Amino acid sequence: MSEDTIFGKIVRGEAPADIVFQDDRVTAFRDITPQAPTHILIVPNKAIATVNDVKPEDEETLGHMFVVAARLAEEEGIADDGYRLIVNCNRDGGQIVFHLHMHLLGGRPIGRMVAR
Ligand code: AMP
């Protein structure tokens, strides 16, 4: 079992967040420090710490995160222009919150894929 994080508290309704989607597998909410006009975090309700901790039984939930991302991109009106999905892992990936999450960024050109 992963350690609890702020995202676990948001999933359980124990911490405030601007939740835009929630079902039995995933929760999506607006990033508190948005890096683009649309910046939504999509997280599994199950506390998986990092991509390194993903197990075969998580496949359905992780696939569902993409389905939710596509739906939210459509709702945000950014699907046609495009957007970026990012999952950071550990130190070199720039992960700060150790509850796996997918960033959905759009609403402007997001720029280079990686910093030089
Ligand atoms: P990462 O670097 O991939 O771990 O990204 C963590 C993201 O979580 C950052 O973009 C933060 O701005 C965001 N974040 C941290 N705390 C909160 C919070 N309470 N509500 C919404 N977003 C948060």
Side-chain angles (χ1 to χ4, degrees), residues 61-74:
T61 296
L62 298 177
H64 188 53
M65 288 167 66
F66 278 87
V67 173
V68 171
R71 170 178 161 167
L72 291 174
E74 191 69 40

Side-chain angles (χ1 to χ4, degrees), residues 10-13 19-28 45 68:
I10 289 171
V11 166
R12 297 192 302 275
I19 292 177
V20 294
F21 178 87
Q22 186 166 43
D23 65 11
D24 58 332
R25 280 176 289 183
V26 310
T27 301
N45 293 342
V68 171

Side-chain angles (χ1 to χ4, degrees), residues 6-7 10 16 29-33 39 41 88 94-97 101 103:
I6 183 66
F7 290 178
I10 289 171
F29 50 91
R30 296 193 190 278
D31 196 290
I32 204 167
T33 312
H39 188 172
L41 301 173
N88 296 320
Q95 185 174 7
I96 295 168
V97 179
H101 51 279
H103 296 255

Side-chain angles (χ1 to χ4, degrees), residues 86-96:
I86 299 174
V87 180
N88 296 320
C89 181
N90 277 343
R91 184 195 59 208
D92 283 0
Q95 185 174 7
I96 295 168

